[in-house]
Amino acid sequence: MTIVNKNISQILVHILFWMLFVFVSLFVFSDYYWAQNPFLQYLFILVVIVYSNNFFLLPYFVKRKLYVLYIFVFVAISFLATQLYCNVFAQCGCSFMKCLSDYLWQTLVPLIFFSFIWMLYRFIAEQEDLEKVKKEHTEMELKFLKSQINPHVLFNNLNTIYSYSIENPKETPELILMLSDNLKHVLYESNSETISIEKELHFLDNYIKFQKIRTEGVKHINYNKNIDSEEYQIAPLMLITIIENAFKHSTLNSSIDISIIIKNGVLDFNCSNDYDSKKIDEDTFKIGLQNLEKRLELIYKDKYEFTITKNGMFKVVLKLKLK
């Protein structure tokens, strides 16, 4: 509904502007009679120029941040269009400067107005996307936090710590600290738009180490990292969904392979696990990953590759350009 309303508002703005602009050009700033007015003949070309600018030039130059070059192109188009109107349609025979002073406004006004409208709606769209990111981030945080403090999950974690305290009492404090660190990470550190890759990897290290203890003798976990720098920034809790999914749905007596490589600002993440397609609903299996892909599209648009393959193993590959 919001998109429809936005499109309708844009159409109304365009229609009202052209009606007012044509009225002013014909009845206020014109010495010609209606049938003889060269502006009516030039109007079609002006419309083509304006919407070519809106649909092709502006998106091309703004996306590549070639603002100075766009200004030169904009000025050149305005001057050439004015000379076309002056010498071909109006045939006033006036000098170059006289032509610009009398007719340049008829080209500049719609070009500037619709360029402003394009940038305004683009800004509004970016703000809406930003709000979506914040909303998705908040919902994801709450969902993950709920899974961590869910009585059943928390009981299992505490039971693991209790069992481990009997067999390895010296290492029990470390497990408690890991669980505490991860809850703190979800509650506080993940509130930022981005965090250091060092903190995020520490969170993953704790989570995987805890899972290794819980699934010892039942699942084999291969976890490898190769990081060229820990100074990069990443959106928090971006990878945990994939890893959590692998532990949740992998079969007994199977392997989970996790690989994280960061080189030249690009994160290459691979996670694969066995799964029983007969026992697991595929839609349920993929719902968390689908939500993750939405976050990736909102936060890292055009800066990521995300693929899921199923060929005996369920494999997720994520390539991401870090900030």
Side-chain angles (χ1 to χ4, degrees):
M1 182 61 71
T2 303
I3 296 175
V4 173
N5 291 336
K6 187 189 299 181
N7 291 336
I8 292 174
S9 69
Q10 290 190 60
I11 292 171
L12 288 175
V13 167
H14 283 241
I15 292 174
L16 290 173
F17 173 84
W18 283 117
M19 290 174 63
L20 179 61
F21 181 69
V22 170
F23 175 81
V24 171
S25 298
L26 291 177
F27 296 105
V28 180
F29 294 102
S30 177
D31 297 328
Y32 296 91
Y33 292 108
W34 180 275
Q36 299 172 328
N37 200 312
F39 176 76
L40 291 176
Q41 304 167 32
Y42 175 67
L43 182 61
F44 174 76
I45 294 177
L46 182 59
V47 169
V48 172
I49 292 172
V50 166
Y51 288 108
S52 294
N53 176 64
N54 268 42
F55 289 116
F56 302 107
L57 296 181
L58 263 174
Y60 178 83
F61 286 104
V62 171
K63 183 178 181 180
R64 290 161 179 78
K65 299 182 179 180
L66 302 173
Y67 305 118
V68 176
L69 182 58
Y70 172 72
I71 292 174
F72 280 112
V73 173
F74 184 91
V75 171
I77 290 174
S78 301
F79 280 4
L80 291 174
T82 302
Q83 290 300 311
L84 175 68
Y85 178 41
C86 183
N87 297 312
V88 177
F89 293 94
Q91 296 180 354
C92 64
C94 50
S95 65
F96 177 78
M97 294 306 298
K98 176 66 174 174
C99 180
L100 291 180
S101 65
D102 288 350
Y103 300 108
L104 180 60
W105 71 271
Q106 286 185 307
T107 303
L108 275 182
V109 169
L111 271 173
I112 293 175
F113 177 80
F114 285 115
S115 295
F116 171 77
I117 291 298
W118 184 89
M119 288 185 285
L120 176 63
Y121 277 97
R122 183 174 184 270
F123 173 77
I124 293 173
E126 288 178 348
Q127 291 301 113
E128 290 177 349
D129 286 344
L130 183 60
E131 289 301 317
K132 287 181 181 178
V133 170
K134 291 180 179 179
K135 184 179 179 181
E136 290 280 340
H137 180 65
T138 302
E139 290 176 352
M140 182 275 302
E141 285 179 358
L142 292 173
K143 181 181 178 181
F144 186 78
L145 180 59
K146 182 179 178 181
S147 71
Q148 290 295 307
I149 63 177
N150 180 282
H152 177 70
V153 175
L154 192 58
F155 173 78
N156 285 340
N157 291 342
L158 291 174
N159 190 49
T160 300
I161 294 174
Y162 172 74
S163 300
Y164 209 71
S165 67
I166 298 174
E167 300 174 3
N168 300 283
K170 292 183 180 181
E171 297 186 26
T172 301
E174 183 182 357
L175 291 180
I176 297 174
L177 183 61
M178 286 193 298
L179 185 59
S180 175
D181 283 347
N182 278 12
L183 289 173
K184 183 179 71 173
H185 181 81
V186 176
L187 276 170
Y188 303 112
E189 294 176 349
S190 63
N191 289 331
S192 304
E193 291 185 9
T194 60
I195 61 171
S196 68
I197 194 68
E198 179 183 10
K199 289 183 177 180
E200 189 70 7
L201 290 179
H202 178 68
F203 168 69
L204 296 179
D205 291 344
N206 284 350
Y207 181 85
I208 292 172
K209 187 172 182 179
F210 205 93
Q211 292 301 320
K212 280 184 177 180
I213 295 172
R214 290 192 59 196
T215 60
E216 187 175 7
V218 178
K219 297 179 182 180
H220 181 68
I221 302 166
N222 298 312
Y223 177 43
N224 299 297
K225 292 189 300 181
N226 188 355
I227 315 298
D228 65 358
S229 174
E230 294 184 335
E231 296 180 357
Y232 299 114
Q233 296 285 310
I234 188 173
L237 307 179
M238 187 62 71
L239 306 178
I240 187 62
T241 301
I242 302 172
I243 297 174
E244 192 180 36
N245 217 50
F247 279 105
K248 183 178 180 181
H249 298 295
S250 57
T251 57
L252 297 178
N253 301 315
S254 65
S255 295
I256 298 173
D257 298 310
I258 303 169
S259 172
I260 301 176
I261 299 173
I262 300 178
K263 186 175 181 181
N264 298 326
V266 178
L267 181 145
D268 192 346
F269 176 82
N270 289 264
C271 183
S272 60
N273 61 276
D274 290 312
Y275 76 105
D276 190 345
S277 59
K278 296 179 180 178
K279 295 182 179 180
I280 299 175
D281 181 9
E282 188 170 326
D283 291 335
T284 303
F285 192 24
K286 293 176 63 176
I287 190 168
L289 301 179
Q290 290 170 344
N291 291 336
L292 171 62
E293 190 165 15
K294 291 178 182 178
R295 288 190 70 214
L296 286 167
E297 183 63 22
L298 289 170
I299 303 173
Y300 293 99
K301 189 173 184 179
D302 301 325
K303 295 181 180 180
Y304 76 95
E305 295 178 16
F306 185 67
T307 57
I308 300 173
T309 57
K310 296 174 293 180
N311 187 14
M313 299 279 287
F314 194 92
K315 184 175 182 180
V316 180
V317 177
L318 172 62
K319 291 186 178 181
L320 185 65
K321 186 176 181 181
L322 298 175
K323 299 180 179 180

